[in-house]
Amino acid sequence: MFIPLHDANGLEHIKLQYVTFGLIASNIVIFIFTGLGSEQFAVATTYGFGYIPSVAFDLVNLPPEWYFVPEDFTYLTYAFMHADVFHLGGNMLFLWVFGDNIEDALGHFRYLVFYLLCAIGGALFHGLIDPSSQMPLIGASGAVAGVVAAYLMLHPRVKIWILAFGRIPLRIPAWIALTLWVGFQFVMFAGAGEEQISWACHIGGIITGAILVLLLKRREVPLFDREVVTPRAVEMQQQSAVRPIGAKPAPRWGRQ
């Protein structure tokens, strides 16, 4: 639908979004590790760490050679597994653009809890829709959907750069792009069903993120952008471009 590129939205409460960096790094390292082995190893890790509703609801059992973690752990481990570089890149790009401001609004620890709970919410909703499914669910989309929902509720007025339809650069308010993105998830869930993409997981993450941001955000952080935080670099450029009123001009030497 669109590719996010950049948001002009600085950090107010934290100096560095190290939890966001850590989540991105973890996903990349795990993707590289699981991709280095054989095809058989990739299948085993997908089924062993992916979320399988029928296994989670004790309807079927995994073969012993695929049993790496207890079933309940897969509500989290699935969110660090990705099918290919495009799957990984899309999720991490959304997390890179929008995650830092959610970390700023919640604080480091609560943001990590928020992210993990959104992943759980996405998997749970996916499982409730089709408890008998034996296909493994993988990817950070549920957690990232929660981040998107929280950003929409906190910073709808921020201008963001996107590539619409993957090729048209636009700078538009976040509420336009993200409202369309959220609506698209519900439309696809209602009309397209569950094929290659789990729209249910996205919706579970969106609902979880929308609820948790109300509970976990800092008290002083308002909803719906009463004030947009301008990045420091932009502030410095604006200040240097405007001379204070009453300032004397620099002396000019030579004839006039």
Side-chain angles (χ1 to χ4, degrees):
M1 187 177 182
F2 74 88
I3 301 173
L5 300 176
H6 174 69
D7 65 332
N9 195 6
L11 302 176
E12 185 176 7
H13 303 284
I14 62 175
K15 294 182 179 180
L16 183 67
Q17 59 274 36
Y18 58 76
V19 176
T20 298
F21 289 153
L23 289 170
I24 293 173
S26 299
N27 278 276
I28 293 173
V29 169
I30 291 172
F31 176 76
I32 293 173
F33 172 75
T34 55
L36 290 177
S38 63
E39 183 178 352
Q40 184 178 3
F41 176 75
V43 172
T45 53
T46 298
Y47 277 87
F49 293 107
Y51 174 75
I52 305 174
S54 58
V55 174
F57 288 99
D58 293 324
L59 300 179
V60 299
N61 293 318
L62 277 178
E65 63 271 22
W66 290 351
Y67 192 86
F68 298 133
V69 295
E71 293 87 347
D72 290 343
F73 283 35
T74 62
Y75 282 93
L76 287 176
T77 56
Y78 88 96
F80 293 89
M81 306 289 295
H82 289 85
D84 53 46
V85 68
F86 298 104
H87 188 202
L88 172 72
N91 281 332
M92 294 304 100
L93 182 58
F94 269 78
L95 186 58
W96 171 265
V97 174
F98 301 118
D100 58 340
N101 295 109
I102 308 306
E103 184 174 351
D104 185 55
L106 273 60
H108 301 300
F109 177 74
R110 282 180 291 182
Y111 170 66
L112 178 60
V113 172
F114 169 90
Y115 183 91
L116 297 178
L117 288 178
C118 286
I120 293 173
L124 180 60
F125 193 76
H126 170 83
L128 291 174
I129 292 300
D130 188 6
S132 63
S133 173
Q134 297 185 25
M135 293 297 296
L137 172 70
I138 59 173
S141 301
V144 171
V147 170
V148 170
Y151 196 99
L152 177 59
M153 295 177 64
L154 292 175
H155 304 295
R157 292 172 48 209
V158 168
K159 296 292 183 66
I160 61 175
W161 278 101
I162 65 169
L163 279 180
F165 307 106
R167 64 183 64 189
I168 305 173
L170 295 175
R171 184 173 182 264
I172 59 178
W175 72 266
I176 296 177
L178 300 188
T179 298
L180 289 174
W181 186 88
V182 169
F184 181 75
Q185 311 310 306
F186 282 89
V187 170
M188 294 302 292
F189 172 70
E194 302 291 299
E195 295 180 356
Q196 296 297 319
I197 298 176
S198 174
W199 306 107
C201 180
H202 295 185
I203 291 174
I206 289 169
I207 295 172
T208 305
I211 294 172
L212 288 180
V213 71
L214 300 176
L215 303 175
L216 297 179
K217 73 178 183 67
R218 302 175 192 268
R219 292 184 178 180
E220 64 271 23
V221 172
L223 295 174
F224 307 117
D225 266 345
R226 296 177 189 173
E227 181 180 358
V228 177
V229 180
T230 304
R232 295 184 181 88
V234 177
E235 290 178 347
M236 293 177 63
Q237 290 178 2
Q238 291 175 344
Q239 291 173 3
S240 63
V242 179
R243 188 172 62 198
I245 297 175
K248 295 182 180 180
R252 300 171 63 184
W253 303 99
R255 294 184 179 181
Q256 296 187 14

